[in-house]
Amino acid sequence: MSILPRRFKRIKNVLNCRIENLTVLVENVNKPHNLSAILRTCDAAGVFEANFISETNTVKTFNSTAQGSQKWVKLNNFESTLSAVSELKNKNFKLYGTTLNSKSIDYRNFDYSENTCFVLGAEKWGLSNELLSMVDHSIFIPMRGMVQSLNVSVAASILLFEAIRQREIKGILPLKGEGLNQNEYQKTLFEWSYPELASMYKKSGRKYPTLNDEGEFDQTTNN
Ligand code: SAM
């Protein structure tokens, strides 16, 4: 059965605004509500995929804080800091490590309109020294209260929406799918519209069918 036209339109509208070159790398944040809140913020900001390092390789769980956003933001899982950093650097991301150490610079001093990855640390310990030694810049959000730091998901929100604000001012926020490469766009459009079918196609190694403007299988190209 075909997807409802209204649902397809909504999926397309969201996908049209997704951004491939803005992301987060989260190191050992293991509390489900924090990871859920970060993913929900990524979805709200239009981030296409998020990255997660879990050295213990624990299975991530999401709670109601996520509001289902884990379905709409791809999560790349890395078992080591080095593999995560290498992959992001190969994709030309600039890494902004978040830390309150003395070398850190106020986050408002940077331009986040090019490939940007905010690197966020664990609830108790913050970022590891290993990861801090690999980032391009260390940044902090100025604090004015008694408590030393923000909740990690709150820090993620401030930073991601600052990047969105800057890009909006520059007129470079995607509105018509230009934030994703076309293969990724078509693949994700099918997976979001027909999730069960997509996993069947994946298992059998078959190519996804093309969809027409109404979200139906395009008879002219799929025969
Ligand atoms: N004691 C830890 C430390 O010294 O980093 C505090 C960790 S904090 C609760 C968890 C994460 O939230 C941090 O690793 C960082 O990613 C982010 N964070 C919290 N407050 C921040 C701030 N003011 N500026 C930048 N990042 C912050």
Side-chain angles (χ1 to χ4, degrees), residues 1-9 11-12 186 189-190 192-194 197 201 208-223:
M1 204 179 94
S2 289
I3 187 169
L4 289 173
R6 207 178 46 180
R7 172 89 175 154
F8 187 66
K9 197 171 164 210
I11 283 176
K12 262 188 114 168
Q186 292 306 335
L189 185 61
F190 186 77
W192 285 9
S193 305
Y194 297 96
L197 261 184
Y201 272 84
Y208 294 156
T210 312
L211 301 178
N212 67 19
D213 288 345
E214 278 72 51
E216 298 154 344
F217 289 30
D218 191 342
Q219 301 301 338
T220 53
T221 52
N222 292 317
N223 288 328

Short mmCIF file of all heavy atoms in Angstrom, two decimals, residues 1-9 11-12 186 189-190 192-194 197 201 208-223:
data_model
loop_
_atom_site.label_atom_id
_atom_site.label_comp_id
_atom_site.label_asym_id
_atom_site.label_seq_id
_atom_site.Cartn_x
_atom_site.Cartn_y
_atom_site.Cartn_z
N MET A 1 0.84 -1.20 0.00
CA MET A 1 0.00 0.00 0.00
C MET A 1 0.88 1.25 0.00
O MET A 1 1.89 1.30 0.68
CB MET A 1 -0.90 -0.02 1.23
CG MET A 1 -2.14 0.82 1.04
SD MET A 1 -3.21 0.77 2.50
CE MET A 1 -2.68 2.19 3.38
N SER A 2 0.45 2.26 -0.78
CA SER A 2 1.27 3.48 -0.86
C SER A 2 1.13 4.33 0.39
O SER A 2 0.10 4.31 1.07
CB SER A 2 0.82 4.33 -2.06
OG SER A 2 1.21 3.70 -3.23
N ILE A 3 2.12 5.13 0.65
CA ILE A 3 2.11 6.07 1.76
C ILE A 3 1.04 7.15 1.51
O ILE A 3 0.76 7.50 0.35
CB ILE A 3 3.52 6.71 1.89
CG1 ILE A 3 3.63 7.58 3.13
CG2 ILE A 3 3.93 7.48 0.64
CD1 ILE A 3 5.06 8.02 3.44
N LEU A 4 0.44 7.65 2.60
CA LEU A 4 -0.54 8.72 2.44
C LEU A 4 0.15 9.97 1.91
O LEU A 4 1.24 10.32 2.38
CB LEU A 4 -1.19 9.05 3.78
CG LEU A 4 -2.14 8.01 4.36
CD1 LEU A 4 -2.57 8.42 5.77
CD2 LEU A 4 -3.37 7.86 3.46
N PRO A 5 -0.47 10.67 0.95
CA PRO A 5 0.19 11.85 0.35
C PRO A 5 0.60 12.89 1.40
O PRO A 5 1.66 13.49 1.30
CB PRO A 5 -0.88 12.42 -0.59
CG PRO A 5 -1.78 11.27 -0.88
CD PRO A 5 -1.74 10.35 0.29
N ARG A 6 -0.26 13.07 2.44
CA ARG A 6 0.05 14.07 3.46
C ARG A 6 1.32 13.69 4.25
O ARG A 6 2.16 14.52 4.56
CB ARG A 6 -1.14 14.17 4.42
CG ARG A 6 -1.27 15.52 5.09
CD ARG A 6 -2.46 15.56 5.97
NE ARG A 6 -2.52 14.36 6.80
CZ ARG A 6 -3.46 14.10 7.68
NH1 ARG A 6 -4.44 14.94 7.85
NH2 ARG A 6 -3.45 13.01 8.41
N ARG A 7 1.44 12.40 4.55
CA ARG A 7 2.61 11.90 5.28
C ARG A 7 3.87 12.05 4.40
O ARG A 7 4.92 12.46 4.88
CB ARG A 7 2.36 10.42 5.62
CG ARG A 7 3.52 9.66 6.19
CD ARG A 7 3.57 9.77 7.68
NE ARG A 7 4.61 8.96 8.27
CZ ARG A 7 5.18 9.22 9.42
NH1 ARG A 7 4.81 10.27 10.12
NH2 ARG A 7 6.11 8.45 9.91
N PHE A 8 3.73 11.71 3.12
CA PHE A 8 4.87 11.80 2.21
C PHE A 8 5.35 13.26 2.10
O PHE A 8 6.55 13.53 2.12
CB PHE A 8 4.49 11.25 0.83
CG PHE A 8 5.66 11.16 -0.11
CD1 PHE A 8 6.71 10.28 0.14
CD2 PHE A 8 5.70 11.93 -1.26
CE1 PHE A 8 7.81 10.20 -0.73
CE2 PHE A 8 6.79 11.85 -2.13
CZ PHE A 8 7.83 10.98 -1.86
N LYS A 9 4.39 14.17 2.03
CA LYS A 9 4.74 15.60 1.92
C LYS A 9 5.51 16.05 3.16
O LYS A 9 6.51 16.77 3.06
CB LYS A 9 3.43 16.41 1.77
CG LYS A 9 3.66 17.79 1.25
CD LYS A 9 2.35 18.46 0.92
CE LYS A 9 2.63 19.94 0.79
NZ LYS A 9 1.53 20.76 1.14
N ILE A 11 7.28 14.15 5.24
CA ILE A 11 8.62 13.54 5.22
C ILE A 11 9.54 14.32 4.28
O ILE A 11 10.69 14.63 4.63
CB ILE A 11 8.50 12.04 4.80
CG1 ILE A 11 8.00 11.23 6.01
CG2 ILE A 11 9.81 11.49 4.27
CD1 ILE A 11 7.75 9.77 5.74
N LYS A 12 9.02 14.66 3.10
CA LYS A 12 9.84 15.39 2.13
C LYS A 12 10.25 16.77 2.66
O LYS A 12 11.38 17.21 2.51
CB LYS A 12 9.09 15.56 0.82
CG LYS A 12 9.48 14.52 -0.21
CD LYS A 12 8.88 14.80 -1.54
CE LYS A 12 9.95 15.13 -2.53
NZ LYS A 12 9.48 15.14 -3.90
N GLN A 186 17.64 10.26 -1.89
CA GLN A 186 16.68 9.28 -2.43
C GLN A 186 16.58 8.04 -1.54
O GLN A 186 15.50 7.51 -1.30
CB GLN A 186 17.08 8.85 -3.86
CG GLN A 186 16.97 9.96 -4.90
CD GLN A 186 15.58 10.61 -4.96
OE1 GLN A 186 14.57 10.00 -4.60
NE2 GLN A 186 15.51 11.86 -5.39
N LEU A 189 14.70 8.98 1.61
CA LEU A 189 13.29 9.21 1.31
C LEU A 189 12.53 7.87 1.28
O LEU A 189 11.44 7.75 1.84
CB LEU A 189 13.16 9.93 -0.04
CG LEU A 189 11.75 10.35 -0.44
CD1 LEU A 189 11.16 11.33 0.57
CD2 LEU A 189 11.75 10.98 -1.84
N PHE A 190 13.15 6.88 0.67
CA PHE A 190 12.50 5.57 0.62
C PHE A 190 12.43 4.94 2.03
O PHE A 190 11.39 4.43 2.43
CB PHE A 190 13.23 4.64 -0.36
CG PHE A 190 12.50 3.33 -0.55
CD1 PHE A 190 11.36 3.27 -1.35
CD2 PHE A 190 12.91 2.18 0.10
CE1 PHE A 190 10.65 2.08 -1.50
CE2 PHE A 190 12.21 0.99 -0.04
CZ PHE A 190 11.08 0.94 -0.86
N TRP A 192 12.44 6.35 5.00
CA TRP A 192 11.50 7.04 5.89
C TRP A 192 10.04 6.78 5.47
O TRP A 192 9.16 6.70 6.32
CB TRP A 192 11.76 8.55 5.88
CG TRP A 192 12.98 8.98 6.65
CD1 TRP A 192 13.94 8.16 7.19
CD2 TRP A 192 13.36 10.32 6.98
NE1 TRP A 192 14.89 8.93 7.82
CE2 TRP A 192 14.58 10.24 7.71
CE3 TRP A 192 12.82 11.57 6.71
CZ2 TRP A 192 15.24 11.38 8.18
CZ3 TRP A 192 13.48 12.71 7.18
CH2 TRP A 192 14.67 12.60 7.92
N SER A 193 9.83 6.64 4.16
CA SER A 193 8.46 6.46 3.67
C SER A 193 7.98 5.01 3.83
O SER A 193 6.82 4.77 4.14
CB SER A 193 8.37 6.85 2.19
OG SER A 193 8.84 8.14 1.99
N TYR A 194 8.89 4.07 3.60
CA TYR A 194 8.52 2.64 3.65
C TYR A 194 9.54 1.87 4.49
O TYR A 194 10.34 1.08 3.96
CB TYR A 194 8.48 2.07 2.22
CG TYR A 194 7.45 2.70 1.33
CD1 TYR A 194 7.80 3.74 0.47
CD2 TYR A 194 6.12 2.29 1.35
CE1 TYR A 194 6.85 4.35 -0.36
CE2 TYR A 194 5.16 2.88 0.54
CZ TYR A 194 5.54 3.91 -0.30
OH TYR A 194 4.59 4.51 -1.11
N LEU A 197 9.50 -2.10 4.24
CA LEU A 197 9.94 -2.54 2.90
C LEU A 197 11.43 -2.30 2.71
O LEU A 197 12.14 -3.15 2.15
CB LEU A 197 9.20 -1.72 1.84
CG LEU A 197 7.99 -2.34 1.18
CD1 LEU A 197 7.46 -1.42 0.10
CD2 LEU A 197 8.37 -3.70 0.57
N TYR A 201 14.25 -4.92 1.42
CA TYR A 201 15.13 -4.70 0.25
C TYR A 201 16.59 -4.83 0.68
O TYR A 201 17.41 -5.42 -0.02
CB TYR A 201 14.88 -3.32 -0.36
CG TYR A 201 13.79 -3.31 -1.39
CD1 TYR A 201 12.45 -3.19 -1.02
CD2 TYR A 201 14.08 -3.42 -2.75
CE1 TYR A 201 11.43 -3.18 -1.96
CE2 TYR A 201 13.06 -3.41 -3.71
CZ TYR A 201 11.76 -3.30 -3.31
OH TYR A 201 10.76 -3.29 -4.25
N TYR A 208 16.63 -0.07 -3.94
CA TYR A 208 15.31 0.49 -3.63
C TYR A 208 14.62 0.95 -4.92
O TYR A 208 15.27 1.51 -5.79
CB TYR A 208 15.42 1.71 -2.72
CG TYR A 208 15.95 1.44 -1.32
CD1 TYR A 208 16.56 2.47 -0.60
CD2 TYR A 208 15.81 0.20 -0.71
CE1 TYR A 208 17.04 2.26 0.69
CE2 TYR A 208 16.29 -0.01 0.58
CZ TYR A 208 16.90 1.02 1.27
OH TYR A 208 17.38 0.82 2.54
N PRO A 209 13.29 0.81 -4.99
CA PRO A 209 12.58 1.36 -6.15
C PRO A 209 12.54 2.89 -6.10
O PRO A 209 12.66 3.48 -5.03
CB PRO A 209 11.16 0.79 -6.00
CG PRO A 209 11.09 0.14 -4.68
CD PRO A 209 12.43 0.11 -4.04
N THR A 210 12.35 3.49 -7.25
CA THR A 210 12.24 4.95 -7.30
C THR A 210 10.79 5.34 -6.96
O THR A 210 9.85 4.63 -7.31
CB THR A 210 12.55 5.43 -8.74
OG1 THR A 210 13.75 4.79 -9.15
CG2 THR A 210 12.73 6.93 -8.81
N LEU A 211 10.64 6.46 -6.27
CA LEU A 211 9.30 6.96 -5.94
C LEU A 211 8.96 8.15 -6.84
O LEU A 211 9.84 8.95 -7.17
CB LEU A 211 9.27 7.40 -4.47
CG LEU A 211 9.61 6.34 -3.42
CD1 LEU A 211 9.60 6.93 -2.01
CD2 LEU A 211 8.65 5.15 -3.51
N ASN A 212 7.68 8.26 -7.19
CA ASN A 212 7.27 9.44 -7.95
C ASN A 212 6.93 10.58 -6.98
O ASN A 212 7.07 10.45 -5.76
CB ASN A 212 6.12 9.11 -8.92
CG ASN A 212 4.84 8.76 -8.17
OD1 ASN A 212 4.68 9.07 -7.00
ND2 ASN A 212 3.93 8.10 -8.87
N ASP A 213 6.44 11.71 -7.53
CA ASP A 213 6.22 12.91 -6.70
C ASP A 213 5.17 12.70 -5.62
O ASP A 213 5.10 13.45 -4.65
CB ASP A 213 5.80 14.09 -7.58
CG ASP A 213 6.97 14.58 -8.40
OD1 ASP A 213 8.12 14.20 -8.07
OD2 ASP A 213 6.75 15.32 -9.37
N GLU A 214 4.32 11.68 -5.79
CA GLU A 214 3.28 11.41 -4.78
C GLU A 214 3.73 10.34 -3.78
O GLU A 214 2.97 9.96 -2.89
CB GLU A 214 1.98 10.92 -5.44
CG GLU A 214 1.10 12.04 -5.97
CD GLU A 214 1.69 12.67 -7.20
OE1 GLU A 214 2.04 11.91 -8.13
OE2 GLU A 214 1.85 13.91 -7.21
N GLY A 215 4.94 9.83 -3.94
CA GLY A 215 5.44 8.81 -3.01
C GLY A 215 5.04 7.41 -3.42
O GLY A 215 5.25 6.45 -2.66
N GLU A 216 4.47 7.28 -4.64
CA GLU A 216 4.13 5.93 -5.11
C GLU A 216 5.32 5.37 -5.88
O GLU A 216 6.17 6.13 -6.34
CB GLU A 216 2.92 6.00 -6.07
CG GLU A 216 1.69 6.53 -5.39
CD GLU A 216 0.73 7.19 -6.39
OE1 GLU A 216 1.16 7.49 -7.54
OE2 GLU A 216 -0.42 7.41 -6.00
N PHE A 217 5.32 4.05 -6.06
CA PHE A 217 6.40 3.43 -6.83
C PHE A 217 6.27 3.91 -8.27
O PHE A 217 5.20 3.81 -8.86
CB PHE A 217 6.31 1.90 -6.77
CG PHE A 217 6.68 1.37 -5.41
CD1 PHE A 217 6.47 2.10 -4.27
CD2 PHE A 217 7.26 0.13 -5.30
CE1 PHE A 217 6.81 1.62 -3.02
CE2 PHE A 217 7.63 -0.38 -4.05
CZ PHE A 217 7.40 0.37 -2.91
N ASP A 218 7.37 4.40 -8.80
CA ASP A 218 7.34 4.97 -10.14
C ASP A 218 7.35 3.83 -11.17
O ASP A 218 8.36 3.16 -11.36
CB ASP A 218 8.57 5.88 -10.31
CG ASP A 218 8.48 6.71 -11.56
OD1 ASP A 218 7.68 6.36 -12.46
OD2 ASP A 218 9.23 7.70 -11.65
N GLN A 219 6.18 3.63 -11.84
CA GLN A 219 6.05 2.49 -12.77
C GLN A 219 6.99 2.62 -13.96
O GLN A 219 7.46 1.63 -14.50
CB GLN A 219 4.60 2.37 -13.28
CG GLN A 219 3.55 2.17 -12.18
CD GLN A 219 3.80 0.92 -11.34
OE1 GLN A 219 4.47 -0.02 -11.76
NE2 GLN A 219 3.28 0.91 -10.11
N THR A 220 7.28 3.86 -14.37
CA THR A 220 8.10 4.03 -15.57
C THR A 220 9.56 3.61 -15.34
O THR A 220 10.22 3.12 -16.23
CB THR A 220 8.08 5.50 -16.06
OG1 THR A 220 8.44 6.31 -14.93
CG2 THR A 220 6.73 5.90 -16.59
N THR A 221 10.05 3.81 -14.09
CA THR A 221 11.47 3.49 -13.86
C THR A 221 11.67 2.16 -13.14
O THR A 221 12.78 1.65 -13.11
CB THR A 221 12.15 4.60 -13.02
OG1 THR A 221 11.36 4.82 -11.86
CG2 THR A 221 12.34 5.87 -13.78
N ASN A 222 10.60 1.60 -12.54
CA ASN A 222 10.80 0.38 -11.74
C ASN A 222 10.53 -0.92 -12.50
O ASN A 222 10.62 -1.99 -11.92
CB ASN A 222 9.94 0.44 -10.47
CG ASN A 222 10.44 1.52 -9.53
OD1 ASN A 222 11.63 1.65 -9.33
ND2 ASN A 222 9.53 2.29 -8.99
N ASN A 223 10.12 -0.82 -13.78
CA ASN A 223 9.82 -2.05 -14.51
C ASN A 223 11.04 -2.61 -15.24
O ASN A 223 11.99 -1.94 -15.45
CB ASN A 223 8.67 -1.81 -15.50
CG ASN A 223 7.38 -1.65 -14.72
OD1 ASN A 223 7.20 -2.25 -13.67
ND2 ASN A 223 6.49 -0.79 -15.20
#
